[in-house]
């Protein structure tokens, strides 16, 4: 995010303080210190950097109309469940989509159109047939993978 960062005006502080403490309750220990301030970033442009070779600028209409990640709030639970209870599906999908045979492969990061799996120190993207807009749709896509790639189990 690029833009001008401004110290909040006195009349804006109470609302910001309340929101901040709602998300960070342990900050009550220092939020009222004399050298603690609240700032607002007036965003003028956005640069996406997603790793080596994956970067771009967003146009105003793209980021102003953006919606929150529908999968993010569920990611930790999905990853834990898949790695603990359905590792065979991760392994078979990795084998089918990338030809990687690794029984210890793990799901590591979710995207709306698939997920990243780690294997032998490398990361591989395992693509769904469609993008998902909810955790239920994500579950459906994972089940499709399990059925479609069952013959690729190790």
């Amino acid at each position: 995010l690029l833009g001008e960062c401004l110290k909040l005006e006195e009349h804006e502080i109470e609302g910001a303080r309340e929101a901040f403490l709602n998300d960070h309750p342990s900050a009550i220990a220092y939020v009222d210190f004399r050298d603690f301030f609240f700032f607002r970033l007036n965003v003028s442009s956005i640069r996406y950097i997603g790793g080596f070779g994956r970067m771009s600028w967003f146009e105003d209409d793209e980021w102003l109309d953006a919606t929150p990640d529908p999968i993010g709030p569920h990611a930790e639970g999905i990853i834990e469940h898949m790695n603990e209870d359905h590792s065979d599906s991760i392994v078979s999908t990795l084998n089918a989509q990338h030809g990687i045979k690794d029984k210890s492969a793990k799901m590591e990061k979710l995207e709306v159109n698939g997920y990243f799996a780690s294997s032998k120190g490398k990361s591989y993207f395992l693509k769904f047939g469609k993008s998902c807009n909810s955790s239920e749709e994500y579950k459906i896509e994972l089940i499709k993978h399990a059925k479609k790639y069952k013959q690729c189990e190790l």
Side-chain angles (χ1 to χ4, degrees):
L1 303 175
L2 289 86
E4 186 177 16
C5 190
L6 302 169
K7 190 174 169 184
L8 292 187
E9 300 287 331
E10 193 65 38
H11 69 277
E12 300 172 295
I13 293 174
E14 190 53 39
R17 181 183 184 278
E18 185 178 319
F20 179 73
L21 288 173
N22 188 48
D23 287 341
H24 309 282
S26 64
I28 192 71
Y30 58 82
V31 72
D32 294 321
F33 286 2
R34 288 181 302 146
D35 61 349
F36 188 92
F37 304 101
F38 289 97
F39 291 84
R40 171 185 50 254
L41 178 63
N42 293 330
V43 177
S44 59
S45 58
I46 295 179
R47 177 87 168 147
Y48 171 76
I49 302 173
F52 185 77
R54 293 180 54 207
M55 59 190 97
S56 61
W57 288 98
F58 281 84
E59 298 298 326
D60 288 353
D61 58 337
E62 291 176 313
W63 60 272
L64 289 173
D65 295 336
T67 57
D69 177 2
I71 307 304
H74 310 282
E76 187 177 335
I78 292 170
I79 292 170
E80 183 177 311
H81 173 69
M82 289 299 295
N83 284 332
E84 288 179 7
D85 300 332
H86 303 289
S87 61
D88 56 333
S89 180
I90 298 165
V91 169
S92 63
T93 303
L94 181 62
N95 184 18
Q97 290 191 6
H98 293 280
I100 305 296
K101 296 178 182 337
D102 180 5
K103 287 186 176 184
S104 63
K106 299 284 183 203
M107 180 182 278
E108 61 182 21
K109 184 177 185 298
L110 308 186
E111 299 289 342
V112 293
N113 62 339
Y115 60 93
F116 287 93
S118 61
S119 170
K120 302 175 185 174
K122 292 186 179 179
S123 186
Y124 299 89
F125 187 69
L126 306 179
K127 188 166 178 49
F128 290 156
K130 67 173 222 126
S131 290
C132 302
N133 294 307
S134 68
S135 60
E136 187 57 38
E137 287 181 13
Y138 212 87
K139 180 180 179 180
I140 290 167
E141 289 301 303
L142 287 168
I143 291 169
K144 285 180 185 176
H145 269 191
K147 292 177 179 177
K148 181 177 182 179
Y149 301 126
K150 182 125 179 92
Q151 77 279 3
C152 296
E153 285 183 358
L154 302 181

